[in-house]
Amino acid sequence: RPSMLPRHVQRLGRDCMAHWNGSQILTLNSPLSSCMRWAGHYPPWASFPLPISADFSANWRFPPFFGPWRLFQNSNWHLDNYTQSCCFHQPNPSMKSEGEEPLTKKRRLSGQGDTSTPEQETNLSSQKEVSCVSVAQNEEKHGSRKGTIKRHWEYFCQQSKTMKIAKNKGSDQSSTGSEASFDFTVMSYNILSQNLLEDNSHLYRHCRQRLLFWTYRFPNILQEIKELDADVLCLQEVQEDHYRSEIKSSLESLGYHCEYKMRTGRKPDGCAICFKTSKFSLISSNPVEFFRRDIPLLDRDNVGLVLLLQPRFQCKASAAICIANTHLLYNPRRGDIKLTQLAMLLAEIASVASQKDGSFCPIIICGDFNSVPGSPLYRFIKEGKLNYEGLAIGKVSGQEQFPRGQRILSIPIWPKKLGISQNCVYEIKQQQKEENAGEKLEAAKLDNTQGIVIASEKLSSKLQHHLKLSSVYSHYFPETGIPEVTTCHSRSAVTVDYIFYSAANDATAAQPGAEDSFCGGLKLLGRLALLTEKDLWTVNGLPNENNSSDHLPLLAEFRLIER
């Protein structure tokens, strides 16, 4: 039947349908459940607003292909680019096996108003702001880039800020009286192995495809390392072929010496510790392999790396710092393996950091521990003790709200042939220490350390270590109680990365920035503030255009003090 409408109106109708059908084809396989909307912004060929949905993201950007049909045909469009450029956070179809998304993430689209934390709002004029990574250097001349979140420095004493200003002016390290101080910074950063990214692509459905290529990601990561300019880098998920071809040479050009340990088996990534040769010299490098062919429990390929470094400044000849880096097993249901891997790392640290008088040199432990704050594994690191009797293996790391691993940890967790005691030290050295003590002391005058050893043998469900570790980060923002986040992807946003450091005594261990008045040790001067999950979703989570890992870098400044 011939149309009764004028010809120009018919042509307008055909053009509208052509564009509408094109958009339907592009979204045919999209998991979006509701119709699209243009929120008052509509194509120039439409004379009316189009339908909208209630869950539309405020970050939606206008698709580039709407317009004349010839421009759409000639444009370089891709389904992933289209769906992700709209900033819709799509549900993961395979999520059912892992439980639902965290409630905070479900609510992120409804968050309105200012997303900055109270710590970002207060006293910004006196804080050093550090921009998230930027690829294009010319953007630095025109302020921060769009979609960039600022992270600021948190100082624990005015002196540390004054020292940083003096350091930037080129002054020497301070040395007053009998005290010699040495300031340095340490970064812990899981840079996301490209192979692991591709093997777990379901975690990055919220990302635009082009942002996930290594050729895009590596310049971002390298630029961030340059900007933060840490004296020591502890990197996880460093892919071996990328390390050999470009990561190592790039860091060496920045003045770093690099030590690397690849995971065992056929795993293509590992851990690296890189330090500035202008600040440190290498005393020893000690890789740790958690895989043991003769022990069925230890069938995973995770590794650790422990360095002993000599600071380059006027100090006692015995001055040294022990730096450790690791990436523990992810599996939330295998807390028994996680604890055993941690015990192996602590035993190696105790061996490397041990001094002639029986004490330990200052220790810093970095890494991705795949455990959340407050979990039994976390408490064991900080408190130095853990009674695991009756503890389910699925609750060790605290990664799952409703743990699926219900089997109770065996007593002891690992077999005796591993050669590590319940005090997390190598048993050979512990036996030698006990024999030497036995020759000098009577049974009634055994020292406290020997008493602890005997007690641990009688109560075999108790793990202990004597490193006196404290966490650089508090894990919650004090004003709001909102958790800090170190990793954020399509499945979760939590803290699993840490920097632990040794405090001289129990009184100073719980107070960042506190100084021990009796002996030398590490003093925490400041840290680069972390962000909330809400902050990160304002830039579409991680990775994003400016941050090319699914983890944030952790950065802390320490002072080594000798008396």
Side-chain angles (χ1 to χ4, degrees), residues 191-332:
I191 64 174
L192 180 57
S193 160
Q194 189 66 23
N195 281 8
L196 292 178
L197 182 155
E198 294 170 1
D199 292 343
N200 299 276
S201 58
H202 60 280
L203 299 178
Y204 312 106
R205 295 180 183 273
H206 63 284
C207 302
R208 286 196 278 180
Q209 190 67 29
R210 69 179 182 87
L211 305 183
L212 301 180
F213 295 127
W214 178 249
T215 52
Y216 182 92
R217 294 176 54 232
F218 178 61
N220 262 358
I221 293 171
L222 185 61
Q223 179 66 20
E224 189 164 23
I225 290 174
K226 288 180 181 179
E227 289 181 358
L228 296 179
D229 193 30
D231 298 315
V232 180
L233 306 175
C234 291
L235 307 178
Q236 304 89 41
E237 290 193 23
V238 181
Q239 194 163 304
E240 196 270 343
D241 57 341
H242 293 154
Y243 174 77
R244 301 298 176 192
S245 63
E246 53 188 339
I247 295 177
K248 181 180 180 182
S249 58
S250 297
L251 294 179
E252 286 177 344
S253 68
L254 298 177
Y256 291 98
H257 172 84
C258 302
E259 294 289 324
Y260 179 72
K261 174 57 183 174
M262 188 172 70
R263 286 203 286 169
T264 52
R266 297 183 178 180
K267 302 299 187 297
D269 65 284
C271 295
I273 300 180
C274 312
F275 59 90
K276 286 190 175 179
T277 55
S278 61
K279 301 275 286 193
F280 298 96
S281 60
L282 180 64
I283 299 176
S284 66
S285 178
N286 308 274
V288 184
E289 295 182 355
F290 299 143
F291 175 83
R292 289 284 297 266
R293 193 177 303 276
D294 58 334
I295 300 178
L297 174 67
L298 296 174
D299 60 349
R300 308 304 166 95
D301 295 307
N302 305 82
V303 296
L305 185 60
V306 182
L307 301 190
L308 192 62
L309 300 180
Q310 175 81 47
R312 294 185 184 273
F313 78 117
Q314 297 297 328
C315 64
K316 296 179 182 178
S318 60
I321 300 175
C322 181
I323 307 287
N325 184 22
T326 192
H327 189 177
L328 298 185
L329 177 70
Y330 166 76
N331 193 336

Side-chain angles (χ1 to χ4, degrees), residues 343-401:
M344 296 173 71
L345 180 70
L346 294 176
E348 184 64 24
I349 293 172
S351 176
V352 172
S354 179
Q355 297 182 321
K356 293 181 180 180
D357 60 357
S359 64
F360 298 115
C361 70
I363 297 168
I364 296 175
I365 307 177
C366 300
D368 181 344
F369 290 81
N370 277 314
S371 302
V372 302
S375 65
L377 187 143
Y378 173 87
R379 294 201 310 271
F380 172 53
I381 296 175
K382 282 198 64 178
E383 299 173 6
K385 58 185 178 180
L386 173 66
N387 187 351
Y388 59 87
E389 183 176 5
L391 180 62
I393 59 174
K395 295 182 178 180
V396 170
S397 64
Q399 292 165 279
E400 294 181 327
Q401 186 176 2

Side-chain angles (χ1 to χ4, degrees), residues 126-193:
S126 64
Q127 296 169 334
K128 172 185 174 184
E129 290 191 344
V130 179
S131 173
C132 290
V133 68
S134 174
V135 176
Q137 294 182 356
N138 60 350
E139 292 289 346
E140 296 175 5
K141 302 177 182 178
H142 302 89
S144 61
R145 297 175 60 183
K146 183 178 180 181
T148 297
I149 298 181
K150 295 284 187 180
R151 296 175 63 187
H152 63 269
W153 270 96
E154 297 174 328
Y155 291 108
F156 295 111
C157 62
Q158 183 65 28
Q159 183 183 7
S160 66
K161 182 178 178 181
T162 305
M163 284 299 302
K164 181 171 283 295
I165 295 173
K167 179 181 175 183
N168 292 335
K169 292 181 179 179
S171 63
D172 296 332
Q173 298 279 357
S174 65
S175 179
T176 58
S178 61
E179 178 184 288
S181 64
F182 175 76
D183 296 354
F184 63 101
T185 53
V186 177
M187 175 195 291
S188 181
Y189 195 7
N190 183 326
I191 64 174
L192 180 57
S193 160

Side-chain angles (χ1 to χ4, degrees), residues 276-521:
K276 286 190 175 179
T277 55
S278 61
K279 301 275 286 193
F280 298 96
S281 60
L282 180 64
I283 299 176
S284 66
S285 178
N286 308 274
V288 184
E289 295 182 355
F290 299 143
F291 175 83
R292 289 284 297 266
R293 193 177 303 276
D294 58 334
I295 300 178
L297 174 67
L298 296 174
D299 60 349
R300 308 304 166 95
D301 295 307
N302 305 82
V303 296
L305 185 60
V306 182
L307 301 190
L308 192 62
L309 300 180
Q310 175 81 47
R312 294 185 184 273
F313 78 117
Q314 297 297 328
C315 64
K316 296 179 182 178
S318 60
I321 300 175
C322 181
I323 307 287
N325 184 22
T326 192
H327 189 177
L328 298 185
L329 177 70
Y330 166 76
N331 193 336
R333 301 181 297 281
R334 294 308 304 266
D336 50 347
I337 298 179
K338 291 174 185 278
L339 282 173
T340 306
Q341 290 179 346
L342 176 61
M344 296 173 71
L345 180 70
L346 294 176
E348 184 64 24
I349 293 172
S351 176
V352 172
S354 179
Q355 297 182 321
K356 293 181 180 180
D357 60 357
S359 64
F360 298 115
C361 70
I363 297 168
I364 296 175
I365 307 177
C366 300
D368 181 344
F369 290 81
N370 277 314
S371 302
V372 302
S375 65
L377 187 143
Y378 173 87
R379 294 201 310 271
F380 172 53
I381 296 175
K382 282 198 64 178
E383 299 173 6
K385 58 185 178 180
L386 173 66
N387 187 351
Y388 59 87
E389 183 176 5
L391 180 62
I393 59 174
K395 295 182 178 180
V396 170
S397 64
Q399 292 165 279
E400 294 181 327
Q401 186 176 2
F402 303 101
R404 288 171 290 168
Q406 297 299 325
R407 181 167 59 85
I408 303 300
L409 287 168
S410 60
I411 302 176
I413 299 176
W414 56 81
K416 189 173 181 64
K417 65 179 178 180
L418 180 60
I420 295 177
S421 72
Q422 297 290 291
N423 280 346
C424 297
V425 296
Y426 293 124
E427 286 189 328
I428 296 177
K429 293 188 176 183
Q430 179 170 301
Q431 290 173 0
Q432 293 175 349
K433 185 175 181 179
E434 291 174 1
E435 290 174 0
N436 294 334
E439 294 176 356
K440 298 178 181 179
L441 299 174
E442 297 177 358
K445 297 181 179 180
L446 292 176
D447 61 6
N448 186 46
T449 302
Q450 193 171 354
I452 293 175
V453 171
I454 295 174
S456 67
E457 291 175 352
K458 292 180 180 179
L459 303 173
S460 58
S461 65
K462 291 184 178 180
L463 296 179
Q464 294 185 355
H465 72 78
H466 307 294
L467 302 183
K468 298 180 181 179
L469 299 172
S470 181
S471 174
V472 165
Y473 287 90
S474 304
H475 314 310
Y476 296 90
F477 290 94
E479 295 86 352
T480 62
I482 298 175
E484 298 172 336
V485 167
T486 67
T487 180
C488 180
H489 50 64
S490 293
R491 179 161 294 178
S492 66
V494 293
T495 287
V496 293
D497 307 277
Y498 304 93
I499 300 178
F500 297 104
Y501 69 102
S502 58
N505 56 44
D506 294 337
T508 61
Q511 299 178 1
E515 181 178 334
D516 177 37
S517 59
F518 298 101
C519 61

